[in-house]
Amino acid sequence: MAEQGAAGGDGTGSPEGAEGVLQAAVEVFRKLKDLDCPFLEGLYVTEPKTIQELLCSPSKYRLEILEWMCVRACPSLQDKFSSLKGAQAEVKIQEMVKLGHELMLCGPDDQELVKGCACAQKQLRFMDQMLDAIWSLSIGYSSCSSVEQHFKDTREKNEALLGDLFSSPHLQALLNPECDPWPLDMQPLLGQQRAKLSSESEERKVTELARQLQESAAKLQELRTQCLPQQKEAAAVAGADPSTLDQKLRLVISDFHQLIVAFLQVYDDELGECCHRPGPDLHPCGPIVQAVYQTLTSCSQLLKAVVEATNTSVSTVNMVAKHQGEQSCWGSDNSMMSLATKMQELTLKYKLFNETLRKGPD
């Protein structure tokens, strides 16, 4: 199994890929020692091939190392793992996969990765990323008096960072840069891609316009077919009596001329005075009233927002107070205690566990 993981580490089985997998195994082994993994105490292994077989071959020893890594990354799993025995190894594997998925290190169904059946490169990448997460958490905990203080400091730093970001006058410039953010060597490729997309879009437009033109031509032909008999009948009537058509045209032109003359006379006598009057005087208070109305509308909206924020804050405080004082059942011993009491108990257990790890076996 180890040989398969080594051969398939890079997906090609090349000597360069196998050498890279061995180097990655040595690096993961070094990080485990730096973090004082208790399962490596008294173990003296220097051969890269042996280290890879130790970390990438399915075994109970390898599963215990992964379990220790998961507990270091998420101390709340300690009690759950302690209650599970060897016969419930599948449950432990599912919990470790769930943690890896929450840390965005693997997929939700990567049980083969935790069991050691996936390729060696993927297993080592998973371990390396989790060890980096453990190392960053260890650095953060070392500068704080407790885990709660660490989370509180992290939250305050994140809030300050977001406040500086959203209040920065350069935010819009970052969101809508004037210069092209792509490197110079990528801009020609980007231009070609845009030209290709533009040409494809133009081809689609031309195809659509051609289809519409064909439909219009078909409708025009249909209308022409319908109007052709009527045109023939009109031509037959006109050809039969051309003098009647001439008299009708003369009558229409005469009526049109009379209407125009009448309109000009009415415009000169009655409408002309209305058209030359000066425009109405607008009261100077008009813009002021409009500005006051807009200001009052904005103020009303702000007051509604403040009321909603106040109600939300009161509801949140009441909910937190309710949960802190509410007695709940925790664990398998059916003990009733509040959330604050349970958090204090977990904090004490975590401190005792860390002291035990630092002291090591006697």
Side-chain angles (χ1 to χ4, degrees), residues 45 63 85 92 110 124 136 138 159 165 175 177 211 232 236 245 262 275 295:
V45 180
L63 194 61
K85 304 303 179 181
K92 288 185 178 182
D110 279 348
L124 294 172
S136 62
S138 301
E159 290 177 352
L165 175 63
L175 296 177
R211 185 186 62 81
K232 290 181 178 180
L245 180 61
C275 294
T295 304

Side-chain angles (χ1 to χ4, degrees), residues 114-297:
V114 177
K115 291 179 180 179
C117 299
C119 67
Q121 187 178 19
K122 188 175 181 181
Q123 295 184 55
L124 294 172
R125 187 187 305 115
F126 173 76
M127 293 181 181
D128 185 68
Q129 292 175 346
M130 181 160 302
L131 289 173
D132 290 340
I134 295 172
W135 184 260
S136 62
L137 289 175
S138 301
I139 295 176
Y141 293 159
S142 63
S143 60
C144 300
S145 57
S146 64
V147 179
E148 296 179 356
Q149 183 65 30
H150 170 68
F151 285 125
K152 182 178 179 181
D153 294 344
T154 304
R155 184 192 64 189
E156 292 177 352
K157 291 179 181 178
N158 291 337
E159 290 177 352
L161 178 61
L162 290 176
D164 294 340
L165 175 63
F166 286 107
S167 62
S168 173
H170 306 293
L171 178 61
Q172 291 299 327
L174 292 174
L175 296 177
N176 301 309
E178 297 180 358
C179 300
D180 198 337
W182 291 93
L184 294 177
D185 55 344
M186 292 294 295
Q187 290 181 6
L189 298 177
L190 182 62
Q192 295 176 2
Q193 186 68 17
R194 289 176 177 172
K196 181 179 179 181
L197 294 176
S198 177
S199 62
E200 293 177 354
S201 177
E202 291 178 356
E203 290 178 359
R204 287 195 296 268
K205 289 181 179 179
V206 170
T207 305
E208 181 66 20
L209 290 175
R211 185 186 62 81
Q212 294 178 2
L213 181 59
Q214 292 177 356
E215 293 179 355
S216 301
K219 292 181 180 179
L220 182 59
Q221 184 65 27
E222 182 181 356
L223 292 174
R224 183 178 298 173
T225 305
Q226 294 176 359
C227 294
L228 186 59
Q230 300 177 2
Q231 291 178 356
K232 290 181 178 180
E233 292 178 1
V237 173
D241 192 3
S243 60
T244 305
L245 180 61
D246 182 63
Q247 291 176 0
K248 290 181 180 179
L249 289 175
R250 289 177 182 273
L251 181 60
V252 171
I253 293 173
S254 176
D255 292 341
F256 184 65
H257 179 265
Q258 290 178 4
L259 289 174
I260 292 177
V261 172
F263 174 76
L264 292 176
Q265 185 176 359
V266 173
Y267 178 79
D268 293 337
D269 296 342
E270 299 179 8
L271 298 179
E273 297 179 0
C274 297
C275 294
H276 294 293
R277 288 182 181 179
D281 295 332
L282 297 178
H283 199 278
C285 293
I288 298 177
V289 173
Q290 184 179 6
V292 171
Y293 173 76
Q294 293 177 352
T295 304
L296 291 177
T297 303

Side-chain angles (χ1 to χ4, degrees), residues 18-29 48 124:
E19 183 67 24
V21 171
L22 294 178
Q23 293 178 0
V26 173
E27 180 66 17
V28 170
F29 191 77
L124 294 172

Side-chain angles (χ1 to χ4, degrees), residues 53-97:
E53 293 178 355
L54 174 69
L55 298 177
C56 301
S57 299
S59 64
K60 181 181 178 181
Y61 186 75
R62 174 186 174 279
L63 194 61
E64 290 177 347
I65 294 176
L66 281 177
E67 180 181 343
W68 174 82
M69 292 168 57
C70 291
V71 171
R72 285 292 304 268
C74 182
S76 60
L77 290 177
Q78 176 64 39
D79 295 337
K80 183 175 294 187
F81 284 165
S82 299
S83 62
L84 298 175
K85 304 303 179 181
Q88 297 174 315
E90 288 294 332
V91 181
K92 288 185 178 182
I93 292 174
Q94 293 178 2
E95 291 295 331
M96 287 188 279
V97 172

